[in-house]
Amino acid sequence: MELPTQTYRVTRADLVRYAGASGDFNRIHWSDRVATAVGLPGVIAHGMFTMALVGRAVTGWAGAPDAVVDFGVRFTRPVVVPDTDEGTEIEVSAVVKEVTAEGLTRLDITATCQGEKVLSQARALIRTTR
C-alpha cells in the first residue's frame, strides 16, 4: 500500500533558519562560491534538514510524533538549493512493507529532488494511532 506523497519546498531562507537553529554554518549551505570550489553543483541543504523533512512526512503518516518507533536514512545525493524565491522541492513517498505481529507498520521511504533519489535505505517503523 502506498501512502500519500508529501512535498516540501526548500529555499535558501530555510537553510539560513536551519543553520541558526542547528548551529551548522558550513559555507556550503549558503555560499555558491564555496560550494562549487569544493566540487558541489551549488549550495546544498543540510543533510539533517533533509532528514527532518522526511521525518515530518513520517510523523504525518503515523498520526503523532510519539508514534515513530524507529527512523533511519542514508544520504546518497545532495539537495541543491538554487538562489531563487522558488528554491527546490523534496518529494517524499512511502510504501507499507509489513505490519508486524506487534501491530507496528514498517515503511520503505523514497525521497527525491528534481527526479533524483536523495536518500537510500530510508525506513521507518511506526505505531499507528487510533
Side-chain angles (χ1 to χ4, degrees):
M1 174 173 104
E2 280 191 40
L3 299 175
T5 298
Q6 305 294 314
T7 303
Y8 301 98
R9 180 163 305 283
V10 180
T11 66
R12 294 273 178 101
D14 295 319
L15 301 184
V16 169
R17 285 189 286 275
Y18 184 81
S22 69
D24 181 351
F25 295 99
N26 188 316
R27 294 184 293 166
I28 63 172
H29 301 304
W30 57 268
S31 170
D32 281 306
R33 180 180 50 82
V34 172
T36 56
V38 299
L40 294 167
V43 165
I44 63 170
H46 304 73
M48 295 307 290
F49 179 63
T50 301
M51 186 176 178
L53 292 175
V54 175
R56 182 187 296 174
V58 171
T59 298
W61 294 320
D66 63 349
V68 179
V69 176
D70 189 41
F71 172 53
V73 306
R74 292 214 179 167
F75 302 102
T76 56
R77 185 178 308 275
V79 172
V80 179
V81 182
D83 190 10
T84 64
D85 290 339
E86 297 78 27
T88 194
E89 288 183 340
I90 297 173
E91 291 189 346
V92 185
S93 59
V95 175
V96 173
K97 290 311 277 186
E98 74 170 314
V99 177
T100 69
E102 296 81 22
L104 300 174
T105 302
R106 188 171 313 282
L107 304 177
D108 276 358
I109 304 162
T110 301
T112 60
C113 181
Q114 303 296 315
E116 303 264 351
K117 286 178 81 172
V118 295
L119 301 175
S120 67
Q121 298 180 23
R123 298 183 180 104
L125 189 62
I126 62 173
R127 189 175 32 253
T128 54
T129 58
R130 300 187 194 279

